[in-house]
Each structure stands twice: as structure tokens, then as C-alpha cells.
Amino acid sequence: MKTCDRLRGLRALIPAVLALVVGLGLVAGPVAAPAWADEAAAPAEPTVDYAEWEKAASAAEDQLENRNISDERLDELRDQLAKWRATLLNAQNVNSTRIATVKEQIAALGPAPEEGKTEAPEIASRRSDLADLLGKLQAPGITAEEAYRRADGLIREIDRTQRERQANELLQLWPAPVNPANWPEAAVGISDTLMRIVDEAREGWQNKDARGVFLSNLPLILGLLVLWAGLTFYARRWIENFVDRMQAGGSEARRRVLSVLASLGQVVVPTAGTVALTVALLNSGLLGEVTRRIAVSLPFLGFTVFVAAWLGGRAFPRQQGEDAALPLPPESRIEGRFMAQMMGLVIAAEFLRSITMDPQSYSEAVTAVASFPILVAGGLVLIRIGRVLRLAREAGSQSYVLRLLSILAKVVTVIGFVGPALAAFGYVAAARAMIFPAIVTLGLITLLLVLQRLLADIWAMVSPSDDAASDRDGLVPVLIGFALTLLAVPVFVLIWGARLADLTEIWTRFREGFQMGETRISPTDFLLFAVIFAIGYMLTRMFQGALKTSILPRTRMDRGGQTALVSGTGYVGIFLSALVAINATGIDLSGLAIVAGALSVGIGFGLQNIVSNFVSGIILLIERPVSEGDWIEVGGVQGIVKSISVRSTRVQTFDRTMVIVPNADLVSQQVKNWTRFGLAGRLIVPVGVAFGSDTRKVETVLREIAEAQPLVVLNPPPVVVLQGFGADAMMFEIRVILRDVNFSLSVKNEINHQIVKRFEEEGIEIPFAQSDVTLRNADEIVAALAALRMPAPETPIPPVAPVVAEEPKGGRAGAADPA
């Protein structure tokens, strides 16, 4: 591919990318449509003319042996082979249903007899007939697969040849434009082009017929020129002022949307003016070959410049709000808008040079010298715009977008230095392949940011939220930006030199799928699997809901059993949905044997705890030793079971905290379940009385208190036990059975209140610990104080007989020991 052809391809892509602003169509859609359609369309049971295919393949092989074959011819051959390949890919599935049926019939006959053994003649005959039939049915598919591989190999060879040519073109060394020896020839070529334009205008005016056409169309031409001037200059400025007024108070989403829509007039209106100028020039009758090409190209040149200016105005607005994408001071925004316009002018200048000079087939020296100033200008623009982007990174917050823009600024700055340097040394094609795609990439990134913010504002208008700051930072705007980025990836690839055939080839490989066992898996299989599995999953959830709300509540099954049945139904339904989806898509599960073996090793080493909890959860759901609503105690944790899943159980403690208990602990450890088989439970209340109290009277009082409680069961009756004798008291226990053990704390509280009240009425003492402390060496303490020259106490301390240091005694509060 020649350098000029590649640049023309890039220029043809630029208007398609920028046309997204005004909705003129999908990027490169009309070009890509035939290739997509050719490879996607094929009948269900295609009939292939293999004789015709053999001729086409042989002719392609013969032409590929010619190393001088043109790029245009290579593209034609590739398109033809791509059509054949698509047909042959679909032909591989001929008789697939019959083949599967015959294979099942052969499998029904049982395994073939081993060597040296025979089977029944009827079975052997039938097996032979089915084998012959299977071979005949498989023959078309095998032939189609062989032809498909041949077509695919030829396409790969063409792609490799074109990539090699493209690489050689980029590395081609042209005459250095900075070499003064090349300037005279370049001056001749440039002056020849300018003189040819002047000569065409002079010849057109000297031609009577042409001059007559001009004079007859003069009113129309003047009107069109006035229209061009008005739309290009005055109307554009009026639109800019109108947009500035709408941006005032732009914190509202509606104002921002209207501002963007109104600003599109800055592109549409002046572009319409350049169309009027083109019509005026074409109707003058004075144009020649070169001037006609220039006139026809004026709408595109104007469109490029106007879109660049529009993108600069959106990225570096005159009036900037607090949520600006690039937070910059006014002087930096002015520079940014100017550099955006300069980028448009650089692209337009290169296009203008190409349409005026490339058809003249000038030498490489002329082209290199003529392109060098444009490349230098493009490099300087990239350096300056990189500096502006770095300023935005330094002035703004540490957001992800600004960090990416900072990286982009460094990249374009490097390209701005490296591109002109390569061109100066003669690598003009490489410089073009760097500078112009970098400029178009900056424009496309800016366009994506504008579209993302516009769609985010539209979303904010459709679904307004209370928090206006989150309108552009919510989940939906972020997903919109992510989707736009994904859609723009093919465009970025095309901008940086990829061929459209490369994208179609990726799509073909994607449609072809991959091999798993004896089955080929394609994207349509994944889509079918997802649809069937989703339907099965929805039916499973609907059936679970019916069980939980309509069927099981009318049975005598407890709540824990109902939960276990609903959960088990969900697992079985999901498993069956996956199984049906796999069977419907024809996936061969035998190919997963190696993966399953490797997965088992991973489970054995790294996932054993998860698997243990999973198995324990299944055991809990089947055996149901613990159910939802039970009061359990495990590992020092007491609470109410809230839910049981396959991995863990949620227990809500009595202080209202949620504890996640692994299911393995409920299976392997000792678990105390207070309410599993009923709400009745025993309550023990310890009571201490003073020594010397009437034990029978105490027993009677405690029994009366227990029997008076409403929740205490009288059969079996409450029991009062003299449990033993402590250091300070005689220990009694009240043992009762409660109808609902969940109220044990409130019952215990009421019993203790009644004990205090009845013991006071009956004169029964509740003891407490008491200790007496005696100083044995008082005289020695006094002497020690005197030795330290401390004042002695005025009243001497009388000697005290030695006694035991500590002696606990029982009695009333404040009672003294007579000893």
C-alpha cells in the first residue's frame, strides 16, 4: 500500500469519526457493511460448487505467487476468499442432525467386538450399514472443512503480505527534507502546482463559453457568496454568543444539554456555508482539474476545521463551571481553543496538499519537503496541547480521568518531538503515521468525553436525584462512558493504521469459536446457553416462590424444613437449568475432564474449608439439627438462628449483633439447641440464706414463690433443693420447668424480686461476706514512726490481744463479732 493511499484512507476515516457529532451515520459503517454481510449470511444447508471453488482457489494461489501484485488486487482477492470461507464454514454443519442420529444408532448396538471375537450376523450387518451411512453423511462436512482451511490459509497469506508491505512503507527512508540539495526540486514542484491553479483560472476566464456561463450565473454566485460569508462568519459568532449565554448557570442538567445542542450550530451552519461556496465555484464554469478538486473538497476542509474548533470550545469553554472536565484558568483555556483550531487546520492543510500534489506524481523529495512544514506544525501543536493537559492535571483533583489525560499528555508530547525529528531524517511516512493519528485520537477522545457528559445530563433529566453532584458521577453515567469507550475501540484501531479487513478477521475468528472435545463452541452457542439457563433460573425462582408462599405454609412441616426444601429446590433447579442448557448447545463435557481433575487438586489444597462448609450446609439442610428461629449456643455464641445458607449460618445474638458461624462448626462442634424440639426448658435459680435459718421454712417459701409464677409448669412441680453449705451461707436452688424458655430471664428476675420481699416478711436473712482486720504490732509501728521523727499520737493505742487476721462470719449487715 502506498503512503498516499494510506493517508487517503485515514482522511476518509476522519469525517466519519467527526460526523458522530451531528449524527450523520455510523463510523465507517457503509464501508464495513458488505464484508460483514458476506461473512454472516449463509443458508442453513448450503450447496457448495466445489469445482468453482477449486478454480477460484487455484487462481488466487497463482496470483499470490506474483510479488508485484497491487494492494487493490490483494483486497479484491481477499473479499472473494472471505465469501467462500463464510460459505464453507456453514457447509461444515451439513447433515449434522442426521450424523448425530446415526451415531446414536451405532451406540445403541453396543461396543464393537474385540479382536478375535464375533457378534450376531444381524448386528454386524446393521453396524456395517450404519458405518457406511455415517461415512457418506460426514463426507460433505469433511470436504467443506478441508476447503475452509485452504481458504483460511490463503486469507492469512494475503494479510501477512499486506502487513509486511505496510511495515516496509513505514520504515521507508525518503530524501531528507532538511537537506538543501532537495529544495530546488521541491520548489519547482510546489511552484508548478501553484502555477497550474493560476493557469486553470486564467484559461477558464479566457474561454468565451466558460465566461458566458459565469456571467449568466453571476447573480446566483453572488447570492451564494453572501450566504457563505453570513453563515461562516456572522452566524457562527452569533451562535457562540448564544451558547455562552446558555452556559451561564450551567449547573442544571437541562441547561447543559441545551447548550451542547445549540453549540452544534457552530459546525452545521458554517459547513452549510462552505457547501454554498462550493456550489458557487462549481457554477462559475471557470474551474479546471485541480481547482475543481479543491472546490469539491472545501466542505470537508471546512467541516474538519469547524469540528476541531467546536471540540476545543467544549473541552476549553469560555465559561467554566465547578464540574468542568478540565479545570483550567482562562488563559490556558484560550490557548487550548486556539490549539484545537490549529489541529483542524493541520489536518486540512495535509488534505489540501494531498489532493493538489499527489495526482501529479511528484518525486519523494518534493512530497517530503512539501509535507515537512505541516508535520512540524502538527508536532508543535501536540507539544502545546500536551502542556495544557498537564496543567489541567496539576490544577484539578486526583480523578481517574485526569490521570489518564496526564498520561495522554506525555504521550502526545513525545510524539510532537519524535514525529518531526523522524521526518527531518527522511522517515516521512513514519512521521505521518504518528502525528496525524495522534491529532485525530485527541479529537475522538474529546468527542467521547462530550458525548458521555451529554448522555449523563440527559440521564439526570430523565431520572433526577436529590444529590445534584452525583448526576455525572453515578453508576449509569459511568456505564455509559464505559460503553462509549468500548464502541470506540475499533475506531481507535483504524485510526492507528489497522485495516478494516483486520477487524472483520477478528469477527470471523470470534464467530468460528473454539474446539472443546469433539464440539466447536461459537458465540451463538454461548448466547443460546445464556438464554436457556436464564429461563431455567427464572422458572426455578418462580417455583421457589410458590413453594414458600402458597404450598408449604399449608402443610404441617416446620419452618426449618420449609426453608431446607425451598433451598434444595433452588440448587436442584439451577443444576438442571445448566444441564439442559449444556445439552441444548451440544457442548461435549468430556473435554472438561482435565479441567475437573485440576480443579479437584485446587479444592484439595486451597478450597478445603469452603468445600467443608458447603458439605456441612447441605447436612444441616437435610438433617436439620438447627433451624431458623432456634435458640442455639455454639463456640461461646448464643443467639437466634436467622438464616442457613450452604456456606454459613447467621446467628443474631441477644445484644442485636449478627454473627456469621461457618457451617463446619455447627457440624463438628457441640451445639446446644434450646428450642429445637419444643419451647419448654428448665430454669435454675440459686439462693443463699444465713446459717441458723429454718431450712424447712425456707424451702416452703421458695416453693410457694416458684409455684406462683404463671410460666412455671406444675407437672412436674417445681423442686427446691438444699444444695450444700458454703463459707457464708446455706445454698438452695429453685428448679422449675418453663413453658417457654425464651422468657427465662424475665421469670428469674421476678423470682428474685419475690425472694427479697418474702424473706423480709418471714425474717429470713440473706447473708453476705464479712471480715475483721486486727493490727498485731501496734507498738512496733509507733516506735518506727518515732524513729522517723514523726509526731506521735496524743492518745496511745492500747494493746490488743492477738487474733486471727481474717475470719469470715455470717450475720446481718453491720453486726459485730463479740469475740
Side-chain angles (χ1 to χ4, degrees), residues 650-663:
R650 292 192 305 152
V651 178
Q652 187 181 47
T653 62
F654 297 112
D655 56 0
R656 298 303 177 184
T657 59
M658 193 66 68
V659 179
I660 309 300
V661 180
N663 288 332

Side-chain angles (χ1 to χ4, degrees), residues 10 14 17 347 435-445 492 495:
L10 179 60
I14 294 172
V17 175
I347 297 294
I435 293 177
F436 298 129
I439 293 176
V440 179
T441 298
L442 286 175
L444 182 56
I445 291 176
F492 283 114
I495 289 174

